[in-house]
Amino acid sequence: MENLQEFNAGSLPDNQIYLPYRGVSRRHFCLIRDKKNWLVRDLGSTNGTKVNGTKIQEINIKTGDKIQAGVVECVLQESEQEILVDSDSGEMRMSAAERTDEIGAIPASKETPHYSFPGLVLPEGIVLGRSRKMLEIYQKIHSLAESDVSVMLIGETGVGKEIFARTLHLSGKRENGPFIAVNCAAIPEELAEAELFGIGEKVATDVKERKGKLILASGGTLFLDELSAFPMGLQAKILRALEERVVYPVGEHKGIPINIRLISATNMDPQELISTQRLREDLYHRVAAVEIVIPPLRERKEDLKMLVSGLLLVISKREAKSISGLSRRLFAMMYSYSYPGNIRELVNILSAMVALAHRGEILDVHLAPGKLLEGKEVKEDEGTIHMDAPQNLHAQIDAYSRRLILEALNNCQWNLSQTAKTLKVSPFGLRKMMKRLDIPLKSD
């Protein structure tokens, strides 16, 4: 029948409405929509399906009717813009045009997790996000890809500076050349010059000739992470090599020409490094023709869902273990965390949970590391939730949501349309949340 939509509900993760709760059968019930009419049909479930307390086989339902499956009670809400399904995992909103797997749990992505941006080539297995801040970075990288201009990437530890450096390399004219990454902070000071410039022939007994990183990167890209970790004297030699495009290996007086693109990175403000004499100002001006600031994960939480979904697919493939997805309550807990280690820490958290999970399992709070469970207050301006303990998660989410909505209402003089726009929800959805959270429609 044309325009007919069917949504299966049950405890298996391949259901459009995933309900991983006690008493729910694998295929429990089916919601059928024809234009604006809804019908619910029991699928031979063990415990049966009830509508408004009465056990049914098949029945037409309307807005506000309650569907019970096991311990789960769902309330169907709809408008022209959206469908709302309330369950014990919290209120969820789904645009009618979106996939129904937004309900119940966040699935591991069934498609490639890469976000495609025209002209950019991402390293294999990388998931970056599509928030406004990230799109601005993609645009800059796209503009710089074919250039040899030096770039400095600025961002906290773990934000993925090397990933962006590799993307610049893979997306430009040097893609077929070498990409040489150097962690400057990991090289002992006494070995740093030889590591970068190489060692000449017969410099000392039992010392073999060796090419340095600047020579090995010729024809490609050299990535110097934490350049300020090198001593000031070595920084002066690096500046000379970059300006003359010639490298002098340790113990040699004959220079070797180089042809490299330099990308550097730092986890601190370059001006602070210069003022504290950890970075030469003349070298800074040479290596930072363009600066790209990469935001920490806590400042782009809107990317978290895409990151989790895509990374679960990448990690499960790497571990050869099928993982169906991640529960909403665990995602809410992860959303509340501030991620001081950024993307690197997120990958480690997901990797640990995948390693502990059974094949085909939906990741849930029992697999979460202790730091996600700790009851500690975090800053509200980080878009997080105040959590006392994991068993109070729903109450904490509601409390945080109520504070957030009230703050937005006050800032918008209780204009519901403007408040909904600020919170990036529909006016209908905002009214439903206000009703559930006992927030009056008008300020007293």
Side-chain angles (χ1 to χ4, degrees):
M1 190 172 182
E2 192 174 356
N3 296 325
L4 189 68
Q5 293 177 289
E6 295 188 7
F7 309 111
N8 285 337
S11 61
L12 287 179
D14 60 350
N15 287 287
Q16 287 89 355
I17 303 175
Y18 176 57
L19 301 173
Y21 305 105
R22 179 170 50 86
V24 178
S25 296
R26 295 181 178 184
R27 301 272 187 263
H28 203 106
F29 66 86
C30 179
L31 279 174
I32 303 171
R33 189 186 195 207
D34 177 21
K35 296 182 180 179
K36 292 187 177 180
N37 299 313
W38 284 91
L39 179 143
V40 61
R41 175 186 298 153
D42 183 74
L43 298 178
S45 61
T46 302
N47 296 318
T49 301
K50 294 181 179 181
V51 172
N52 298 329
T54 302
K55 198 168 185 179
I56 60 96
Q57 291 298 319
E58 181 177 297
I59 191 173
N60 288 314
I61 60 173
K62 61 183 183 300
T63 300
D65 283 345
K66 298 178 180 180
I67 307 169
Q68 185 176 344
V71 298
V72 179
E73 183 175 78
C74 303
V75 181
L76 182 68
Q77 305 272 352
E78 66 171 312
S79 72
E80 291 182 1
Q81 292 80 27
E82 60 191 4
I83 301 166
L84 295 176
V85 176
D86 295 335
S87 74
D88 66 350
S89 61
E91 183 177 72
M92 303 167 205
R93 180 173 59 83
M94 179 188 70
S95 165
E98 292 177 0
R99 293 170 55 111
T100 54
D101 58 15
E102 294 289 316
I103 301 176
I106 299 170
S109 176
K110 297 180 178 64
E111 301 173 355
T112 172
H114 302 164
Y115 175 58
S116 175
F117 191 89
L120 292 189
V121 180
L122 299 181
E124 185 177 357
I126 295 301
V127 185
L128 292 179
R130 61 180 71 181
S131 62
R132 187 182 67 178
K133 290 182 178 180
M134 296 303 293
L135 291 176
E136 290 173 355
I137 292 175
Y138 298 152
Q139 182 61 59
K140 287 183 179 180
I141 292 178
H142 179 262
S143 300
L144 295 169
E146 293 296 329
S147 170
D148 273 339
V149 68
S150 59
V151 177
M152 175 173 277
L153 303 171
I154 304 170
E156 295 179 5
T157 298
V159 295
K161 296 186 287 293
E162 184 173 338
I163 291 171
F164 289 101
R166 288 184 181 274
T167 300
L168 264 171
H169 172 75
L170 292 172
S171 304
K173 60 187 178 183
R174 294 177 177 268
E175 60 177 319
N176 295 321
F179 179 89
I180 304 296
V182 180
N183 183 352
C184 304
I187 304 175
E189 185 174 329
E190 63 273 14
L191 301 178
E193 184 173 353
E195 189 72 18
L196 282 182
F197 298 103
I199 299 175
E201 186 179 6
K202 298 179 181 179
V203 169
T205 305
D206 296 330
V207 175
K208 296 181 179 180
E209 182 181 10
R210 186 175 61 179
K211 291 182 179 180
K213 302 296 187 184
L214 284 120
I215 297 172
L216 292 172
S218 195
T221 302
L222 178 66
F223 175 59
L224 296 180
D225 192 11
E226 303 306 330
L227 176 59
S228 60
F230 283 150
M232 299 294 272
L234 180 57
Q235 291 185 31
K237 292 181 179 180
I238 294 172
L239 175 61
R240 178 188 175 189
L242 294 175
E243 291 182 337
E244 297 180 356
R245 295 183 178 275
V246 173
V247 167
Y248 292 89
V250 175
E252 288 281 358
H253 299 288
K254 182 180 179 180
I256 301 175
I258 58 171
N259 172 22
I260 65 170
R261 181 185 193 171
L262 181 69
I263 302 175
S264 58
T266 177
N267 60 14
M268 295 183 63
D269 179 1
Q271 297 304 321
E272 180 181 347
L273 293 171
I274 292 171
S275 64
T276 54
Q277 297 185 348
R278 283 179 283 177
L279 178 65
R280 290 179 62 101
E281 186 170 8
D282 49 3
L283 178 60
Y284 163 72
H285 291 304
R286 179 63 181 79
V287 302
V290 177
E291 292 183 352
I292 297 179
V293 179
I294 304 171
L297 181 54
R298 65 179 176 275
E299 293 181 5
R300 56 182 187 100
K301 286 287 187 72
E302 61 268 40
D303 281 333
L304 188 60
K305 182 179 174 183
M306 178 183 179
L307 289 168
V308 167
S309 180
L311 287 170
L312 276 180
L313 180 62
V314 172
I315 294 168
S316 61
K317 282 185 176 180
R318 184 185 68 204
E319 298 293 326
K321 180 185 287 186
S322 174
I323 296 295
S324 298
L326 177 137
S327 74
R328 285 277 175 179
R329 57 183 178 180
L330 176 56
F331 179 75
M333 187 178 293
M334 294 181 69
Y335 191 91
S336 76
Y337 186 59
S338 61
Y339 297 97
N342 292 292
I343 300 296
R344 183 183 294 124
E345 185 177 17
L346 174 62
V347 171
N348 289 339
I349 288 172
L350 291 172
S351 296
M353 291 193 292
V354 169
L356 292 169
H358 299 293
R359 296 185 185 277
E361 185 176 357
I362 292 287
L363 303 184
D364 209 343
V365 293
H366 67 284
L367 296 171
K371 57 188 171 184
L372 294 185
L373 303 174
E374 292 175 357
K376 59 182 180 181
E377 187 170 278
V378 292
K379 295 180 181 178
E380 290 189 21
D381 60 5
E382 294 179 349
T384 53
I385 301 169
H386 294 272
M387 296 178 60
D388 293 330
Q391 61 267 29
N392 295 325
L393 177 62
H394 300 309
Q396 295 295 325
I397 292 173
D398 285 350
Y400 173 76
S401 299
R402 196 174 195 280
R403 286 196 298 271
L404 186 65
I405 292 172
L406 285 170
E407 181 181 349
L409 284 166
N410 288 326
N411 291 339
C412 298
Q413 289 75 50
W414 286 74
N415 182 308
L416 292 186
S417 296
Q418 185 61 41
T419 302
K421 185 177 180 180
T422 299
L423 295 173
K424 297 182 179 180
V425 298
S426 72
F428 177 81
L430 177 61
R431 289 190 187 94
K432 292 298 297 181
M433 287 187 281
M434 290 173 64
K435 182 178 179 180
R436 183 171 65 81
L437 297 172
D438 198 25
I439 300 175
L441 290 177
K442 291 186 179 181
S443 175
D444 294 332

